[in-house]
Amino acid sequence: MKRNQAADMGYDDPIHNSYEDTCRMYDQVADTLLHLASRTPGEVMIASHNEDQSNLLFKGIFEKMKELGIAQDAGKISFGQLNGMCDQVSFLLGQKGFNVYKSVPYGPVGEALAYLEHRATENGVVIKRTEKERSLS
């Protein structure tokens, strides 16, 4: 629907053609925000619940922060993920001294479950990781 709506209104297609294109754009936006954060008093939150993307993204952010002279403890950069997803990444970021925020979806049960099911489906490794974490306790 969004593609048709954009075409009807004479706008460029707002949807990327592939997952890789989406990730590339996300990285470009994060890079732009880091540049802005290095020159302004504002703060930036980088949020991703995709484990593979998060690990690559966060590694790149650490390197970019050093390059731009943004101190880890300056409080300019925060991170966020959905509760229950990328918890191990959140834990490591917290250990490094970053502020980490977890989003907790809520609402009518039918809507919340449908949303969480979609997130779990797109991140199938969540189930395997949860099983591993249970075995450790």
Side-chain angles (χ1 to χ4, degrees), residues 41-121:
E43 298 175 16
V44 173
M45 177 180 284
I46 305 293
S48 176
H49 62 270
N50 179 298
E51 182 176 16
D52 294 334
Q53 178 70 12
S54 293
N55 288 330
L56 293 173
L57 175 73
F58 297 150
K59 181 181 179 200
I61 286 174
F62 296 144
E63 292 168 6
K64 184 60 77 171
M65 286 175 66
K66 286 179 188 174
E67 177 187 317
L68 296 171
I70 302 172
Q72 253 182 251
D73 60 357
K76 294 193 63 84
I77 311 298
S78 298
F79 295 93
Q81 291 93 29
L82 287 169
N83 191 39
M85 296 194 176
C86 282
D87 289 339
Q88 72 285 4
V89 175
S90 301
F91 180 75
L92 293 172
L93 289 167
Q95 281 186 319
K96 291 182 179 283
F98 288 101
N99 289 327
V100 179
Y101 297 88
K102 299 300 272 189
S103 173
V104 180
Y106 68 94
V109 173
E111 291 178 27
L113 287 177
Y115 175 80
L116 292 172
E117 179 183 25
H118 178 72
R119 297 279 84 78
T121 299

